[in-house]
Amino acid sequence: MIHPSAIVSPRARLGAGVSIGPFTIVHDNVEIGDHAQIDGFCELGYPTPLAHGMPLVIGAHARIRSHSVFYEGSRFGERLVTGHRVTVREGTQAGVNFQVGTLSDIQGDCTIGDYVRFHSNVHIGKMSRIGSFVWIFPYVVLTNDPHPPSDVLLGCEVDDYAAIATMSVLLPGVKVGEHALVAAHSLVGKEVAPHTVVGGNPARFLCDTIKIRLRDGTERPAYPWTGHFSRGYPAEVTAGWQLPPDA
Amino acid sequence: MIHPSAIVSPRARLGAGVSIGPFTIVHDNVEIGDHAQIDGFCELGYPTPLAHGMPLVIGAHARIRSHSVFYEGSRFGERLVTGHRVTVREGTQAGVNFQVGTLSDIQGDCTIGDYVRFHSNVHIGKMSRIGSFVWIFPYVVLTNDPHPPSDVLLGCEVDDYAAIATMSVLLPGVKVGEHALVAAHSLVGKEVAPHTVVGGNPARFLCDTIKIRLRDGTERPAYPWTGHFSRGYPAEVTAGWQLPPDA
Amino acid sequence: MIHPSAIVSPRARLGAGVSIGPFTIVHDNVEIGDHAQIDGFCELGYPTPLAHGMPLVIGAHARIRSHSVFYEGSRFGERLVTGHRVTVREGTQAGVNFQVGTLSDIQGDCTIGDYVRFHSNVHIGKMSRIGSFVWIFPYVVLTNDPHPPSDVLLGCEVDDYAAIATMSVLLPGVKVGEHALVAAHSLVGKEVAPHTVVGGNPARFLCDTIKIRLRDGTERPAYPWTGHFSRGYPAEVTAGWQLPPDA
């Protein structure tokens, strides 16, 4: 299960049935859970003094795709799934079943809840706090420096079930409330209330999320999205979501 | 022509004179045309059940640059050229002489015509339909979900000779007409008529393309761009483009 | 110091104490200064006829992180530091202590001064001229073609100490003055005067930089940033910056 061309430190702790692809490097300070599958060309446990000796911990049943780089000093729950060329710096703490798309860049020193989904090319600045069941779409950036460059870092906060659409920027310290939606290509400088939609540059209140209807012919409400969308979540999680019978 | 460190499946079908660089992985379900040149650190034919067993087919005389990943289940005409770290998912169908820049990410299940040019870091959502001679510039995203997350996918359509400038987003289901221009940093939510320029957030009609003049001292019309630009296209293609004598 | 899996041309000129990581490729036409440290999965001196035989020159004490690609025909002063997956094309000239973040893409034929900082995922078009002590933040693009596609290239100019915040685009030929600030998610089409802030789409004058106060409780001016920020610069450089005593 470990390709002969891979370079795996004898100090790394690998669970049962772990698979390591060709040309992948696993450094000393790494723990990988059972049945994790690591592609080729990856580097896990990239050493940094900023990790203060803390290990990289990857939970069981992870799937890490090719050319990805994870620093030591971060921790992921079970069933992590990544795209290709993901970068994760030290001090990242993520819950179970985190899915993070190709080219995404997590700068570290941040917390991410359970069942979070990042699409491709998402950039998460240090000090970000992201809840559970959050969706972040391509080319979204969470910033942190209110007057760059400086030593002041104000992390953003994204609450449970919120969705941030393509190419939006959250300015430093912004909070996005539960079940809120940030429309595509927005610049968000103020708090976004729960269950509301904001958009534009600068982003302004557009409507309550309940006003948006599904474009599938049914005219059902599109939000909360938990009313119609359950793909990829386990049944015990979605049981309480009151999905319509056809979903 | 196959570097000894490359890992090439004996089931892969390689044409005459194919070159495979160091540390590159070629999986089983791959056909590569004659004289194609594949750099190092690539992975071709990345397996996925979503390809339903369809192969990755790369036409003759391709040039694929380093660290690129192509899934099985996609097909490219002759003379494909890529930058570095390109990702192409299953279900992508592209014509001849497609050029796709560094870091671009094609999500699959899309069609791309002949002689299309993507600059660096272009993101193409599933279900996109792109004509021939289209130009897409850096950090452009073609989206597809009108109320993310959902199971509704409305692909964008970009018609022949259209150009989409840097950091613009096409919202789901948008159509950009032939020879149209989307200005930089635009959010396009409505159909763009042929031979017109739109721009802004949200994008609005700015002018007909014919109004834009070349900033080369000649004051010739800049659009249709086929009137002054022919670099990289074969003579038999540009013969009908009525280029001025100096071009 | 050279990993046995690395492929290093015997014609490459390596200084004393140079370290080359696993699976890295160093081509013929490369000079690397003393004590430079190159990670794994990199490709240095990528051949191109556009370099006209000029070498890739990396100054002493460089640190190049994994999966990066540098073409031949570019030159970097001492203490270059890169993130992961950086791409640098031919004709790039950079001064000392250039730091360039993960996924950044420098298209070549450009000049970059001393002590410049690019954060992640910065895209620099050909013909750009960047001064010293400049800061460029994630997903910023410097463009160059005023009517794409065309053969006209008008490079952007960013003067000393200027800062360009996240996801802004500079249109072709734009000049940003000394110590100016471009706010996040802006589209800049006109010259930015020194010591001013612009922002929006299209970007307009917002205020003089002196009006912005540090959000650290002190209410000191945030600009010029040299009044409070010195992290990562040598003491002989910051000696003249009149930092307050506590900085």
Side-chain angles (χ1 to χ4, degrees), chain B residues 3 5 22-23 39-41 63-67 83-85 102-103 119-121 135 137-139 161 163-167 181 183-187 200-201 212-216 222-223 225 228-231 233, chain C residues 5-7 22-25 40-43 46-47 67-69 71 85-87 89 103-105 107 121-123 139-141 143 145-152 154 167-169 171-173 185-187 201:
Chain B
H3 193 274
S5 65
F23 313 118
D39 276 1
F41 310 110
R63 174 79 193 266
I64 296 181
R65 289 199 172 81
S66 75
H67 304 87
H84 306 276
R85 311 182 187 80
T102 290
L103 293 169
H119 209 286
S120 295
N121 218 324
W135 281 84
F137 290 92
Y139 295 71
Y161 303 97
I164 304 179
T166 297
M167 211 168 287
L181 172 64
H185 221 290
S186 299
L187 175 66
N201 183 347
I212 301 177
R213 299 288 157 165
L214 277 178
R215 292 171 66 177
D216 65 353
Y223 298 92
W225 57 264
H228 60 87
F229 186 83
S230 62
R231 181 156 37 88
Y233 303 102
Chain C
S5 65
I7 300 174
F23 313 117
T24 278
I25 301 168
F41 310 108
C42 292
E43 187 160 5
Y46 190 93
H67 305 86
S68 292
V69 177
Y71 282 56
R85 312 181 186 81
V86 166
T87 311
R89 296 279 308 265
L103 292 170
S104 289
D105 181 356
Q107 295 274 305
N121 218 324
V122 164
H123 180 100
Y139 296 69
V140 165
V141 178
T143 65
D145 185 343
H147 28 46
S150 80
D151 287 315
V152 179
L154 304 174
M167 211 168 289
S168 289
V169 171
L171 288 175
H185 221 290
S186 300
L187 175 66
N201 182 350

Side-chain angles (χ1 to χ4, degrees), chain B residues 153-244:
Chain B
L153 290 187
L154 304 174
C156 296
E157 179 179 333
V158 183
D159 288 352
D160 296 355
Y161 303 97
I164 304 179
T166 297
M167 211 168 287
S168 289
V169 170
L170 301 191
L171 288 176
V174 159
K175 176 178 172 171
V176 177
E178 276 193 10
H179 282 289
L181 172 64
V182 174
H185 221 290
S186 299
L187 175 66
V188 185
K190 292 190 296 192
E191 181 164 343
V192 180
H195 295 278
T196 67
V197 186
V198 303
N201 183 347
R204 296 190 173 90
F205 171 81
L206 296 180
C207 62
D208 290 325
T209 54
I210 193 75
K211 300 275 187 178
I212 301 177
R213 299 288 157 165
L214 277 178
R215 292 171 66 177
D216 65 353
T218 68
E219 297 293 317
R220 290 179 295 165
Y223 298 92
W225 57 264
T226 48
H228 60 87
F229 186 83
S230 62
R231 181 156 37 88
Y233 303 102
E236 68 267 23
V237 162
T238 60
W241 283 5
Q242 302 180 300
L243 294 165

Side-chain angles (χ1 to χ4, degrees), chain C residues 30-51:
Chain C
V30 175
E31 291 181 35
I32 303 179
D34 295 348
H35 304 291
Q37 187 176 345
I38 317 297
D39 277 359
F41 310 108
C42 292
E43 187 160 5
L44 301 187
Y46 190 93
T48 173
L50 300 175

